[in-house]
């Protein structure tokens, strides 16, 4: 797993980000203390740092030069401060990217992926499809579960197809809307929850021994197989 250090004093946000990135084989270690984070850089081979600006003890902008004295680790600033001067100063002092809060965790994952690919061409993507109880037959617009065809609407097919294609990664509710031709763009996230519930019910008719679609609080869903 790719090891990432995060310095963030919003512990609830830190947990959401940690849980989301874990599904992409990114292991996040968080600390709410900037000085502790500075010390931690020498303890592990972290590949990237996610840095909040509004921190106790020292402002994140003041911390960046101290980090650069000991490490060239890529830095993504994650901050609710929208002053353009903060963004300019952060980049001038050595940050690689600036992501204003609030943001979708998927965007953070995409930016991490882009930075790591740029600095290390040898970083490999997990392309191999995991073995699963679900079989996707796109040409036939069918999904089989344990060898049995699931009776799905076109919208439900799109939702389950995306979860299968994401290979066990968490899928944000918004992603289901954007990636489907059979879900209206103005559909509410509640409609997604209803459709996922129907898919769960159809899966449980074949196997109700456990939950195959996991809810990820504040984000979306993850296929567990």
């Amino acid at each position: 797993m790719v090891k990432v250090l995060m310095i963030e004093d919003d512990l609830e946000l830190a947990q959401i980000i940690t849980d989301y990135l874990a599904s992409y084989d990114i292991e996040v270690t968080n600390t709410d203390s900037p000085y502790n984070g500075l010390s931690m850089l020498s303890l592990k081979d972290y590949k990237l740092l996610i840095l909040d600006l509004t921190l106790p003890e020292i402002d994140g902008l003041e911390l960046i030069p101290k980090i650069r004295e000991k490490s060239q680790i890529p830095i993504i600033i994650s901050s609710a401060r929208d002053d353009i001067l903060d963004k300019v100063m952060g980049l001038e002092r050595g940050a690689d990217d600036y992501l204003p809060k609030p943001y979708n965790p998927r965007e953070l994952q995409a930016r991490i992926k882009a930075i790591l690919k740029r600095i290390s061409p040898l970083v490999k993507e997990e392309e191999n499809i995991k073995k699963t109880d679900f079989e996707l037959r796109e040409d036939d617009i069918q999904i089989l579960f344990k060898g049995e065809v699931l009776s799905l609407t076109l919208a439900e097919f799109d939702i389950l197809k995306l979860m299968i294609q994401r290979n066990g990664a968490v899928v944000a509710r918004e992603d289901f809307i954007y990636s489907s031709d059979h879900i209206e763009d103005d559909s509410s996230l509640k409609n997604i929850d209803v459709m996922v519930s129907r898919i769960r019910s159809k899966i449980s008719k074949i196997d109700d021994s456990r939950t195959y679609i996991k809810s990820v609080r504040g984000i979306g869903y993850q296929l567990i197989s």
Side-chain angles (χ1 to χ4, degrees), residues 52-54 78-83 98-102:
D52 188 17
L53 292 186
T54 306
S78 162
S79 177
R81 284 156 46 175
D82 58 2
D83 189 335
Y98 191 106
L99 186 58
K101 298 176 183 175

Side-chain angles (χ1 to χ4, degrees), residues 1-4 24-28 47-48 112 116 123:
M1 295 184 78
V2 176
K3 291 180 171 56
V4 168
Y24 288 89
D25 284 336
I26 299 174
E27 179 184 288
V28 178
K47 300 301 183 184
L48 183 139
I112 291 173
L116 294 182
V123 173

Side-chain angles (χ1 to χ4, degrees), residues 58-72:
I58 183 174
D59 186 90
L61 290 175
E62 301 301 320
L63 186 64
I64 294 174
K66 297 181 182 297
I67 294 170
R68 284 291 171 248
E69 289 176 3
K70 62 189 306 182
S71 173
Q72 292 303 309

Side-chain angles (χ1 to χ4, degrees), residues 97-110:
D97 202 350
Y98 191 106
L99 186 58
K101 298 176 183 175
Y103 55 81
N104 189 310
R106 182 175 176 236
E107 181 177 2
L108 175 61
Q109 182 271 332

Side-chain angles (χ1 to χ4, degrees), residues 27-189:
E27 179 184 288
V28 178
T29 301
N30 181 65
T31 177
D32 58 359
S33 166
Y35 286 115
N36 186 40
L38 191 61
S39 299
M40 291 169 68
L41 285 175
S42 59
L43 299 179
K44 284 187 180 180
D45 183 24
Y46 294 107
K47 300 301 183 184
L48 183 139
L49 171 66
I50 303 169
L51 176 66
D52 188 17
L53 292 186
T54 306
L55 295 166
E57 303 171 350
I58 183 174
D59 186 90
L61 290 175
E62 301 301 320
L63 186 64
I64 294 174
K66 297 181 182 297
I67 294 170
R68 284 291 171 248
E69 289 176 3
K70 62 189 306 182
S71 173
Q72 292 303 309
I73 186 172
I75 299 173
I76 296 179
I77 294 175
S78 162
S79 177
R81 284 156 46 175
D82 58 2
D83 189 335
I84 186 63
L85 184 59
D86 283 333
K87 182 175 183 178
V88 171
M89 290 180 63
L91 296 173
E92 287 181 344
R93 294 185 180 193
D96 296 82
D97 202 350
Y98 191 106
L99 186 58
K101 298 176 183 175
Y103 55 81
N104 189 310
R106 182 175 176 236
E107 181 177 2
L108 175 61
Q109 182 271 332
R111 294 190 184 214
I112 291 173
K113 177 180 174 182
I115 289 175
L116 294 182
K117 283 182 69 175
R118 186 175 71 243
I119 65 173
S120 178
L122 297 178
V123 173
K124 296 181 180 179
E125 299 178 28
E126 293 294 328
E127 295 291 351
N128 294 329
I129 302 299
K130 298 174 183 177
K131 291 184 178 179
T132 173
D133 291 316
F134 295 87
E135 180 185 345
L136 175 61
R137 295 181 178 176
E138 276 196 85
D139 291 343
D140 298 326
I141 316 179
Q142 286 184 341
I143 295 176
L144 280 66
F145 173 62
K146 294 195 171 182
E148 296 189 35
V149 177
L150 291 169
S151 178
L152 303 170
T153 66
L154 290 175
E156 291 167 356
F157 173 82
D158 288 345
I159 288 173
L160 187 53
K161 178 182 75 170
L162 185 58
M163 283 192 278
I164 292 171
Q165 290 174 333
R166 289 290 176 83
N167 214 10
V170 178
V171 183
R173 289 176 176 85
E174 296 87 350
D175 290 353
F176 293 120
I177 297 174
Y178 301 148
S179 65
S180 174
D181 294 329
H182 304 102
I183 301 175
E184 297 295 330
D185 290 344
D186 58 354
S187 291
S188 70
L189 301 185

